[in-house]
Amino acid sequence: MRLKHLFSSLVVGAAAVMAFSSAAHAADMTGAGATFPYPIYAKWAEAYKASTGNGLNYQSVGSGAGIKQIKAKTVDFGASDMPLKAEELDAEGLMQFPAIMGGVVTVVNLDGVAPGQLKLTGPVVADIYLGKITNWNAPEIAALNPGVKIPAGEITVVHRADGSGTSFLFTDYLSKTSPAFKTQIGAGTAVKWVVGVGGKGNEGVAANVQRIKGSIGYVEWAYAKKNKMSHTQLKNKDGNYLQPDDDFFKAAAANAEWTKTPGFGVVLTDQAGKNSWPITGVSFILMHKAQADANKGKEVIKFFDWAFKNGGAAAVELDYVPLPPAVVKQVQDAWKANLKDASGKAIY
């Protein structure tokens, strides 16, 4: 689709870090967490640095690590694809707001199978990750793909090895479509996988799937496209097989009840609608309500405010979905109400 330019700043590795600052700078921000939004945060940070001179150092280390770092106050903001519940936000003195939406896709490494040719369902993917379906010529897979020549061979399951919001979205979807998966593994950023090999970050999962013949994994759509990986179709709640597409991610978010959910913490997996991509997610930003360094807090808000106003085209180019204008206004109101300096004055 629109992934015309590779984001030159994308670093592939176990703990990708983007630093758009040639030297330490008083206004530079630090953030850590989700790998899901890393490609668009990299793109935004590069453009913001060029526009304002202020840099962002973002550690793409996974949602679990990002949550730990913001709680420990070692970064200016944390990022997570799993929303924190209101009780946890209150206990830690945090506010949470959405930054971007996108989709998680299943990817495979199968000779002779074209990208988007293979069809899978939630229950079948769940049984693969439960170790119940172990070969690509299994009748459950063949029944979904009449006429497709799928090479026989053992399935190698690839999953995240770190605390991961992408894993939360994936396991939440599988838990909603498979009672057995919900009982045996369940939804979470870090679950006890029963089969497979782990990779750190979306980058690590992508690298393992590309390296191992007969493998299956799950990554954010921008990673699949950048690495020219072979994605699958997925059957959604309405029974339609879909190819991943930002219009389908947008469709899944169409009925999100942002204001009725504490901390904007909507979960968009397995949404109804004929065009709803089944593993759609929101990436959230976490900040302390009481800002010990008001200047840093202000700079973080300026960055995301700038991104909401100027970063939509870059997001769409990378197949993310920008927040609707009404939601941006709600986020800005939440900044005013929640983020304060040491004297209690709003920083936005």
Side-chain angles (χ1 to χ4, degrees):
M1 286 197 343
R2 290 176 291 275
L3 190 56
K4 296 175 182 175
H5 308 293
L6 299 183
F7 29 90
S8 60
S9 54
L10 183 60
V11 180
V12 177
V17 176
M18 61 183 183
F20 294 92
S21 177
S22 57
H25 188 285
D28 284 356
M29 303 157 279
T30 59
T35 64
F36 174 103
Y38 174 69
I40 186 56
Y41 290 176
K43 202 76 168 174
W44 284 347
E46 189 176 33
Y48 187 73
K49 173 74 173 176
S51 175
T52 68
N54 295 328
L56 168 63
N57 182 302
Y58 181 79
Q59 302 170 51
S60 176
V61 290
S63 295
I67 293 168
K68 288 179 181 177
Q69 289 198 42
I70 188 61
K71 286 182 177 180
K73 300 184 179 181
T74 58
V75 290
D76 299 320
F77 69 89
S80 174
D81 307 323
M82 181 187 76
L84 299 190
K85 289 182 166 57
E87 299 79 18
E88 188 172 5
L89 292 170
D90 290 343
E92 298 290 340
L94 295 170
M95 82 155 293
Q96 172 176 270
F97 62 89
I100 198 70
M101 298 180 287
V104 175
V105 302
T106 41
V107 288
V108 297
N109 185 339
L110 290 172
D111 289 335
V113 178
Q117 185 179 17
L118 190 71
K119 293 180 178 179
L120 293 174
T121 66
V124 166
V125 175
D127 280 350
I128 291 172
Y129 273 77
L130 286 170
K132 295 180 179 180
I133 297 175
T134 60
N135 200 292
W136 284 110
N137 65 0
E140 296 91 339
I141 298 174
L144 304 177
N145 296 278
V148 179
K149 293 183 178 179
I150 306 171
E154 183 179 344
I155 299 173
T156 298
V157 166
V158 181
H159 54 71
R160 288 286 286 272
D162 52 335
S164 157
T166 306
S167 282
F168 165 73
L169 295 172
F170 183 67
T171 57
D172 186 72
Y173 164 65
L174 295 183
S175 294
K176 287 174 177 175
T177 57
S178 167
F181 189 93
K182 182 178 181 179
T183 300
Q184 295 179 47
I185 295 180
T189 57
V191 298
K192 292 184 178 179
W193 300 104
V194 295
V195 293
V197 297
K200 193 169 183 181
N202 272 271
E203 306 93 343
V205 171
N208 276 341
V209 173
Q210 288 177 301
R211 180 176 58 84
I212 303 170
K213 291 290 185 185
S215 60
I216 183 171
Y218 56 93
V219 295
E220 197 280 323
W221 180 222
Y223 287 86
K225 293 196 75 175
K226 180 197 178 291
N227 292 297
K228 297 181 173 60
M229 302 185 75
S230 183
H231 67 274
T232 78
Q233 297 180 50
L234 284 176
K235 189 177 184 179
N236 71 4
K237 191 169 187 174
D238 281 24
N240 297 322
Y241 284 99
L242 299 178
Q243 303 277 0
D245 185 281
D246 53 344
D247 285 338
F248 298 155
F249 307 155
K250 190 182 300 182
N255 298 316
E257 296 185 330
W258 300 96
T259 55
K260 294 182 180 180
T261 311
F264 300 97
V266 299
V267 177
L268 300 176
T269 56
D270 200 37
Q271 292 292 299
K274 66 177 183 178
N275 292 325
S276 294
W277 181 253
I279 321 181
T280 300
V282 183
S283 203
F284 299 92
I285 299 301
L286 298 164
M287 295 180 68
H288 285 278
K289 291 181 179 180
Q291 289 288 309
D293 186 336
N295 288 330
K296 287 284 185 70
K298 287 178 182 177
E299 193 57 41
V300 173
I301 295 307
K302 285 180 183 177
F303 170 73
F304 283 105
D305 197 43
W306 177 93
F308 292 155
K309 293 173 182 174
N310 302 286
V316 171
E317 183 181 321
L318 294 176
D319 292 283
Y320 290 93
V321 178
L323 297 181
V327 178
V328 171
K329 176 62 168 61
Q330 292 164 17
V331 168
Q332 292 168 335
D333 290 343
W335 290 341
K336 292 176 187 175
N338 290 287
L339 297 174
K340 313 286 186 180
D341 64 14
S343 67
K345 182 180 178 182
I347 67 170
Y348 177 74

